[in-house]
Amino acid sequence: MPPAPSPLAGVRVVDASTGLAGPLVGRFLADLGAEVALVGAGSGSMVWDRGKERVEDRKLFSALAAADVCIVSEPPSTLAGSSLAAEPACAANPRLVHVSTLPFLEGDAPWAGGGEADPLLAAWAGTSLRQASVEDVPVESIYPHLTTVQGVWATACAVAALVERESSGLGQAVIVGGMHGALVASGAAFNFDPTAPDPAPGPRPGGSGGAVPFYRTYQCGDGEWLFLAALTPRFTDLAFGVLGLSGLLDDPRLDGKGRAAVLLPEHSRWAIDTIAAVFRTRPRADWLDALASAGCPAGPLLERGDWLDHPQLAAIGMRVEEDGRIFAGNPIRLTEARAGATPQPVRGGGNGPLDGVRVLDLGAIIAGPYGASLLGELGADVVKVEPPSGDSFRGPGFAAYNKGQRGIVLDLQSEAGRSTFLRLVETADVVIDNYRPGVLGRLRLRYEDLVAANPSIITLSVTGFGEGGPLGDEPGFDPVLQAMSGMMTAQGGDNDPVFFTVPVNDVTTAAASAAAVCLALFHRCRAGGGQRTWTSLAGMSALLQAEQLAREDGRSDAPRGGTDHAGPSDDDRYHAVADGWIRVRGRVADPSWLVRTRDDVVSELTAQGVAAAPARRPKELADLLVAADALHADTRPGREHWWTVGRIACFSRTQRADTLVAPTLGQHTDEVLREAGITA
């Protein structure tokens, strides 16, 4: 694979962060051409500190004075009086983009010690209580997913601020806290009705494999596991046809309500058992071949340790060998920009750093649309283009992943719809898609077709496996990559595999998509010319496990989980208390905790300097998040009592203030077409 362009060439970065999120920002910027000076301890990992040049602390002041970006992770109380704090750093260097990847929100973290702690953040944010489990218990991820998402999203925000600086000439302070990362990762959980009851306690339908009968893990006749990814109605019909269960949704127990009823706990249990019995009749290879022939997505559960050796990872540049070490590469791919154009600064109005940028979103399901939605959070005007039948993901989760978009309907398979879309491309800056490989060609909407309409257009494509390689033409879904990359097997340890309830590959890919678009915009601002960019779920599955997949002499074995994994050790895990659960680091359980309240025990431990957090549900965080402008009242008709995610990053100069919601099907068609000069 040819070397990626360097859109950040000449950008100077001071990385004074620790942990994971901040160092990840520094590594991403270094990967894309920035000169990164590492100050202090860094992450302590070759995975996140590579590509940076260590600078002595005594040179910090001069480095800051010449820097374009400064990255810190310490809370304000720790940095008070330091030249690294946002206010003095920006006062001394008005062009500086100061990025804080704080452990929680804008202030100190609510746990003792106050540093970055993914397990404590997951407890606070409700992620662990949402995870599919056998019993009704919080489950600890063996991966730091939330802080990884935080770091990728902070990268997008940092580059967006650089884009805005090209027109204003001014830097600003940017805060992306751990809770912001959790909101990006689990946005659907924070689109809720506070009056709705909590789930009933007790064993969860489907256990750790997932509660949706047609979207979960199954063990086959040879003992091997696969993931059945038949989420949409079309795929469900295909899967049930292969399994010989075409009449399952017509079962009298469902009372004629089909798919909607089979998702209820009282029905999903027997449906899962019925499907499981069929899968046990044949070996995995037979089932995968049959499902693939029918066009239904599925994937084998493989071992984590083999993933970096898969030829697909090498083909898309995600397997990097350097000085005898092997590690995951950068999943953002930029192709050579079109030459000969003049620089095009973004001239916005300050309602987000990307105010003035127009994005056309052709995506469906999660990764593509959510990447466009995150650009909307950064101020872009995002237009969601749907077919007359609508996005196949329209339903309960749609609102979380399509916020901040205006919706139009176009039939791109018709000549009129295609020509109308190309008229819109003339007015746009970016086009995003996550079509299956080959679809853009059939629609005659490849990059070359769009460039003919607008030579300055930037495109981003999200695919399952990336471009090229043995699997490049295959469709990919988040859990299929969870399965193939070894995530599910490693989380399950020696027991049954675990399906991550949060679509970790999708949401991280969305954040990386926003970063890729911002990088292309920054290049266009400085040098001119459009650009084709892409990323993949496969690349993201390696990034999310980067620390666990890395190989070098003397490296210890990566952690593995187990059924309802509570934590790595007796003094670093979840514990039951009288009214729930707490996550504790550095203290073995006291028997008295079982008869005491959650908040009482956490308060006592925190006063003693022990890092502890309550395992909360999203609705418990409403007051805290509203105060931080991170949760807004939902403004959609009929949702007057609901909450939705608000601001997921803080910008000192270009903060947007409005509430973002998802559009109804075709809600803005006339409005958007009129703006483009297209009449009825």
PDB file of all heavy atoms in Angstrom, residues 31 43 85 218 247 253 303 357 367 373 399 412 444 463 549 554 575-576 580 606 610 627 634 661 678:
ATOM      1  N   ASP A  31       0.885  10.304  12.897  1.00  0.00           N
ATOM      2  CA  ASP A  31       0.675   9.422  11.746  1.00  0.00           C
ATOM      3  C   ASP A  31       0.332  10.212  10.493  1.00  0.00           C
ATOM      4  O   ASP A  31       0.655   9.784   9.375  1.00  0.00           O
ATOM      5  CB  ASP A  31      -0.469   8.435  12.027  1.00  0.00           C
ATOM      6  CG  ASP A  31      -0.088   7.334  12.999  1.00  0.00           C
ATOM      7  OD1 ASP A  31       1.115   7.131  13.233  1.00  0.00           O
ATOM      8  OD2 ASP A  31      -1.007   6.681  13.529  1.00  0.00           O
ATOM      9  N   SER A  43       2.282   7.917  27.496  1.00  0.00           N
ATOM     10  CA  SER A  43       1.432   6.780  27.847  1.00  0.00           C
ATOM     11  C   SER A  43       2.227   5.626  28.440  1.00  0.00           C
ATOM     12  O   SER A  43       1.664   4.733  29.075  1.00  0.00           O
ATOM     13  CB  SER A  43       0.679   6.278  26.604  1.00  0.00           C
ATOM     14  OG  SER A  43       1.570   5.638  25.711  1.00  0.00           O
ATOM     15  N   ALA A  85      -1.682  24.855  31.346  1.00  0.00           N
ATOM     16  CA  ALA A  85      -3.110  25.117  31.511  1.00  0.00           C
ATOM     17  C   ALA A  85      -3.624  25.913  30.307  1.00  0.00           C
ATOM     18  O   ALA A  85      -2.885  26.680  29.680  1.00  0.00           O
ATOM     19  CB  ALA A  85      -3.363  25.863  32.802  1.00  0.00           C
ATOM     20  N   TYR A 218     -23.979 -18.023  17.861  1.00  0.00           N
ATOM     21  CA  TYR A 218     -24.498 -19.393  17.909  1.00  0.00           C
ATOM     22  C   TYR A 218     -23.340 -20.379  17.784  1.00  0.00           C
ATOM     23  O   TYR A 218     -22.387 -20.146  17.025  1.00  0.00           O
ATOM     24  CB  TYR A 218     -25.508 -19.645  16.784  1.00  0.00           C
ATOM     25  CG  TYR A 218     -26.844 -18.989  17.024  1.00  0.00           C
ATOM     26  CD1 TYR A 218     -27.192 -17.807  16.372  1.00  0.00           C
ATOM     27  CD2 TYR A 218     -27.753 -19.537  17.928  1.00  0.00           C
ATOM     28  CE1 TYR A 218     -28.424 -17.194  16.596  1.00  0.00           C
ATOM     29  CE2 TYR A 218     -28.988 -18.932  18.164  1.00  0.00           C
ATOM     30  CZ  TYR A 218     -29.308 -17.762  17.505  1.00  0.00           C
ATOM     31  OH  TYR A 218     -30.529 -17.155  17.741  1.00  0.00           O
ATOM     32  N   GLY A 247     -41.049 -20.066   8.803  1.00  0.00           N
ATOM     33  CA  GLY A 247     -42.309 -19.803   9.487  1.00  0.00           C
ATOM     34  C   GLY A 247     -42.164 -19.371  10.927  1.00  0.00           C
ATOM     35  O   GLY A 247     -43.178 -19.198  11.621  1.00  0.00           O
ATOM     36  N   ARG A 253     -47.513 -18.199  18.948  1.00  0.00           N
ATOM     37  CA  ARG A 253     -47.164 -17.534  20.206  1.00  0.00           C
ATOM     38  C   ARG A 253     -46.882 -16.041  20.014  1.00  0.00           C
ATOM     39  O   ARG A 253     -46.943 -15.254  20.960  1.00  0.00           O
ATOM     40  CB  ARG A 253     -45.953 -18.221  20.842  1.00  0.00           C
ATOM     41  CG  ARG A 253     -46.254 -19.573  21.466  1.00  0.00           C
ATOM     42  CD  ARG A 253     -44.993 -20.297  21.892  1.00  0.00           C
ATOM     43  NE  ARG A 253     -44.246 -20.822  20.750  1.00  0.00           N
ATOM     44  CZ  ARG A 253     -43.166 -21.590  20.856  1.00  0.00           C
ATOM     45  NH1 ARG A 253     -42.691 -21.895  22.079  1.00  0.00           N
ATOM     46  NH2 ARG A 253     -42.547 -22.046  19.780  1.00  0.00           N
ATOM     47  N   GLU A 303      -9.703 -16.176  16.943  1.00  0.00           N
ATOM     48  CA  GLU A 303      -8.872 -15.834  18.096  1.00  0.00           C
ATOM     49  C   GLU A 303      -8.210 -14.479  17.901  1.00  0.00           C
ATOM     50  O   GLU A 303      -7.707 -14.161  16.821  1.00  0.00           O
ATOM     51  CB  GLU A 303      -7.808 -16.907  18.319  1.00  0.00           C
ATOM     52  CG  GLU A 303      -8.357 -18.237  18.801  1.00  0.00           C
ATOM     53  CD  GLU A 303      -8.951 -18.136  20.199  1.00  0.00           C
ATOM     54  OE1 GLU A 303      -8.500 -17.283  20.995  1.00  0.00           O
ATOM     55  OE2 GLU A 303      -9.880 -18.922  20.490  1.00  0.00           O
ATOM     56  N   VAL A 357     -19.620  24.353   6.337  1.00  0.00           N
ATOM     57  CA  VAL A 357     -19.328  23.149   5.563  1.00  0.00           C
ATOM     58  C   VAL A 357     -20.633  22.414   5.268  1.00  0.00           C
ATOM     59  O   VAL A 357     -21.472  22.235   6.149  1.00  0.00           O
ATOM     60  CB  VAL A 357     -18.355  22.227   6.333  1.00  0.00           C
ATOM     61  CG1 VAL A 357     -18.193  20.885   5.615  1.00  0.00           C
ATOM     62  CG2 VAL A 357     -17.003  22.909   6.514  1.00  0.00           C
ATOM     63  N   ALA A 367     -22.477   3.295  11.149  1.00  0.00           N
ATOM     64  CA  ALA A 367     -21.157   3.921  11.028  1.00  0.00           C
ATOM     65  C   ALA A 367     -21.154   5.154  10.127  1.00  0.00           C
ATOM     66  O   ALA A 367     -20.639   6.213  10.508  1.00  0.00           O
ATOM     67  CB  ALA A 367     -20.140   2.894  10.537  1.00  0.00           C
ATOM     68  N   SER A 373     -23.282  12.633  11.423  1.00  0.00           N
ATOM     69  CA  SER A 373     -23.900  13.298  12.562  1.00  0.00           C
ATOM     70  C   SER A 373     -22.854  13.986  13.439  1.00  0.00           C
ATOM     71  O   SER A 373     -23.079  15.100  13.937  1.00  0.00           O
ATOM     72  CB  SER A 373     -24.690  12.275  13.386  1.00  0.00           C
ATOM     73  OG  SER A 373     -25.277  12.875  14.521  1.00  0.00           O
ATOM     74  N   ALA A 399     -32.666   7.799  15.938  1.00  0.00           N
ATOM     75  CA  ALA A 399     -32.537   9.172  16.428  1.00  0.00           C
ATOM     76  C   ALA A 399     -31.149   9.450  16.990  1.00  0.00           C
ATOM     77  O   ALA A 399     -30.630  10.560  16.868  1.00  0.00           O
ATOM     78  CB  ALA A 399     -33.594   9.439  17.502  1.00  0.00           C
ATOM     79  N   LEU A 412     -31.944   7.299  -6.051  1.00  0.00           N
ATOM     80  CA  LEU A 412     -30.685   7.395  -6.791  1.00  0.00           C
ATOM     81  C   LEU A 412     -30.593   6.374  -7.914  1.00  0.00           C
ATOM     82  O   LEU A 412     -29.701   6.471  -8.761  1.00  0.00           O
ATOM     83  CB  LEU A 412     -29.505   7.218  -5.833  1.00  0.00           C
ATOM     84  CG  LEU A 412     -29.371   8.276  -4.745  1.00  0.00           C
ATOM     85  CD1 LEU A 412     -28.174   7.972  -3.856  1.00  0.00           C
ATOM     86  CD2 LEU A 412     -29.222   9.670  -5.349  1.00  0.00           C
ATOM     87  N   ARG A 444     -23.367   4.834 -10.535  1.00  0.00           N
ATOM     88  CA  ARG A 444     -22.573   5.840 -11.265  1.00  0.00           C
ATOM     89  C   ARG A 444     -22.349   7.094 -10.405  1.00  0.00           C
ATOM     90  O   ARG A 444     -22.469   8.224 -10.868  1.00  0.00           O
ATOM     91  CB  ARG A 444     -23.254   6.203 -12.588  1.00  0.00           C
ATOM     92  CG  ARG A 444     -23.266   5.045 -13.598  1.00  0.00           C
ATOM     93  CD  ARG A 444     -23.969   5.427 -14.878  1.00  0.00           C
ATOM     94  NE  ARG A 444     -25.381   5.679 -14.647  1.00  0.00           N
ATOM     95  CZ  ARG A 444     -26.057   6.676 -15.188  1.00  0.00           C
ATOM     96  NH1 ARG A 444     -25.462   7.529 -15.999  1.00  0.00           N
ATOM     97  NH2 ARG A 444     -27.337   6.826 -14.913  1.00  0.00           N
ATOM     98  N   THR A 463     -16.302   1.055   4.759  1.00  0.00           N
ATOM     99  CA  THR A 463     -16.618  -0.309   4.358  1.00  0.00           C
ATOM    100  C   THR A 463     -16.287  -1.256   5.507  1.00  0.00           C
ATOM    101  O   THR A 463     -15.654  -0.869   6.488  1.00  0.00           O
ATOM    102  CB  THR A 463     -15.830  -0.737   3.109  1.00  0.00           C
ATOM    103  OG1 THR A 463     -14.427  -0.638   3.385  1.00  0.00           O
ATOM    104  CG2 THR A 463     -16.189   0.135   1.921  1.00  0.00           C
ATOM    105  N   LEU A 549      -3.003  -6.414  20.870  1.00  0.00           N
ATOM    106  CA  LEU A 549      -2.468  -7.085  19.689  1.00  0.00           C
ATOM    107  C   LEU A 549      -0.971  -6.840  19.495  1.00  0.00           C
ATOM    108  O   LEU A 549      -0.312  -7.603  18.782  1.00  0.00           O
ATOM    109  CB  LEU A 549      -3.210  -6.608  18.434  1.00  0.00           C
ATOM    110  CG  LEU A 549      -4.688  -6.981  18.310  1.00  0.00           C
ATOM    111  CD1 LEU A 549      -5.297  -6.326  17.068  1.00  0.00           C
ATOM    112  CD2 LEU A 549      -4.873  -8.483  18.235  1.00  0.00           C
ATOM    113  N   GLY A 554       9.327  -9.537  25.578  1.00  0.00           N
ATOM    114  CA  GLY A 554       9.088  -9.240  26.982  1.00  0.00           C
ATOM    115  C   GLY A 554       7.698  -8.754  27.299  1.00  0.00           C
ATOM    116  O   GLY A 554       7.396  -8.460  28.458  1.00  0.00           O
ATOM    117  N   HIS A 575     -18.322  -5.013  42.819  1.00  0.00           N
ATOM    118  CA  HIS A 575     -18.796  -5.673  44.034  1.00  0.00           C
ATOM    119  C   HIS A 575     -20.266  -5.335  44.232  1.00  0.00           C
ATOM    120  O   HIS A 575     -20.707  -4.206  43.961  1.00  0.00           O
ATOM    121  CB  HIS A 575     -18.006  -5.201  45.262  1.00  0.00           C
ATOM    122  CG  HIS A 575     -16.547  -5.534  45.201  1.00  0.00           C
ATOM    123  ND1 HIS A 575     -16.053  -6.789  45.459  1.00  0.00           N
ATOM    124  CD2 HIS A 575     -15.473  -4.758  44.906  1.00  0.00           C
ATOM    125  CE1 HIS A 575     -14.738  -6.780  45.332  1.00  0.00           C
ATOM    126  NE2 HIS A 575     -14.356  -5.566  44.991  1.00  0.00           N
ATOM    127  N   ALA A 576     -21.021  -6.306  44.731  1.00  0.00           N
ATOM    128  CA  ALA A 576     -22.430  -6.082  45.043  1.00  0.00           C
ATOM    129  C   ALA A 576     -22.559  -5.345  46.365  1.00  0.00           C
ATOM    130  O   ALA A 576     -21.796  -5.583  47.307  1.00  0.00           O
ATOM    131  CB  ALA A 576     -23.161  -7.419  45.121  1.00  0.00           C
ATOM    132  N   GLY A 580     -27.279  -2.204  44.717  1.00  0.00           N
ATOM    133  CA  GLY A 580     -26.691  -2.182  43.380  1.00  0.00           C
ATOM    134  C   GLY A 580     -25.274  -2.705  43.355  1.00  0.00           C
ATOM    135  O   GLY A 580     -24.949  -3.700  44.008  1.00  0.00           O
ATOM    136  N   THR A 606     -13.969   6.806  48.747  1.00  0.00           N
ATOM    137  CA  THR A 606     -13.376   8.001  48.150  1.00  0.00           C
ATOM    138  C   THR A 606     -12.688   8.852  49.205  1.00  0.00           C
ATOM    139  O   THR A 606     -11.573   9.370  48.988  1.00  0.00           O
ATOM    140  CB  THR A 606     -14.457   8.814  47.420  1.00  0.00           C
ATOM    141  OG1 THR A 606     -15.088   7.997  46.423  1.00  0.00           O
ATOM    142  CG2 THR A 606     -13.860  10.042  46.752  1.00  0.00           C
ATOM    143  N   VAL A 610      -9.465   5.709  48.064  1.00  0.00           N
ATOM    144  CA  VAL A 610      -9.617   4.525  47.230  1.00  0.00           C
ATOM    145  C   VAL A 610     -10.472   4.884  46.013  1.00  0.00           C
ATOM    146  O   VAL A 610     -11.558   5.463  46.164  1.00  0.00           O
ATOM    147  CB  VAL A 610     -10.277   3.365  48.018  1.00  0.00           C
ATOM    148  CG1 VAL A 610     -10.474   2.153  47.105  1.00  0.00           C
ATOM    149  CG2 VAL A 610      -9.435   3.001  49.222  1.00  0.00           C
ATOM    150  N   ALA A 627     -26.420  19.900  33.494  1.00  0.00           N
ATOM    151  CA  ALA A 627     -25.597  21.002  33.988  1.00  0.00           C
ATOM    152  C   ALA A 627     -24.358  21.209  33.126  1.00  0.00           C
ATOM    153  O   ALA A 627     -23.862  22.334  32.985  1.00  0.00           O
ATOM    154  CB  ALA A 627     -25.191  20.739  35.436  1.00  0.00           C
ATOM    155  N   ASP A 634     -35.354  16.679  24.433  1.00  0.00           N
ATOM    156  CA  ASP A 634     -35.626  16.305  23.047  1.00  0.00           C
ATOM    157  C   ASP A 634     -36.733  17.206  22.495  1.00  0.00           C
ATOM    158  O   ASP A 634     -37.787  17.353  23.109  1.00  0.00           O
ATOM    159  CB  ASP A 634     -36.059  14.837  22.992  1.00  0.00           C
ATOM    160  CG  ASP A 634     -35.955  14.242  21.594  1.00  0.00           C
ATOM    161  OD1 ASP A 634     -36.244  14.962  20.620  1.00  0.00           O
ATOM    162  OD2 ASP A 634     -35.600  13.061  21.486  1.00  0.00           O
ATOM    163  N   VAL A 661     -31.407  17.055  16.523  1.00  0.00           N
ATOM    164  CA  VAL A 661     -32.314  15.905  16.491  1.00  0.00           C
ATOM    165  C   VAL A 661     -32.289  15.310  15.090  1.00  0.00           C
ATOM    166  O   VAL A 661     -31.822  15.927  14.132  1.00  0.00           O
ATOM    167  CB  VAL A 661     -33.754  16.294  16.879  1.00  0.00           C
ATOM    168  CG1 VAL A 661     -33.814  16.777  18.314  1.00  0.00           C
ATOM    169  CG2 VAL A 661     -34.310  17.357  15.929  1.00  0.00           C
ATOM    170  N   ILE A 678     -33.208  24.068  -7.268  1.00  0.00           N
ATOM    171  CA  ILE A 678     -34.008  23.050  -7.943  1.00  0.00           C
ATOM    172  C   ILE A 678     -35.461  23.240  -7.533  1.00  0.00           C
ATOM    173  O   ILE A 678     -35.798  23.136  -6.355  1.00  0.00           O
ATOM    174  CB  ILE A 678     -33.529  21.637  -7.561  1.00  0.00           C
ATOM    175  CG1 ILE A 678     -32.034  21.488  -7.881  1.00  0.00           C
ATOM    176  CG2 ILE A 678     -34.340  20.567  -8.277  1.00  0.00           C
ATOM    177  CD1 ILE A 678     -31.413  20.232  -7.327  1.00  0.00           C
TER     178      ILE A 678
END
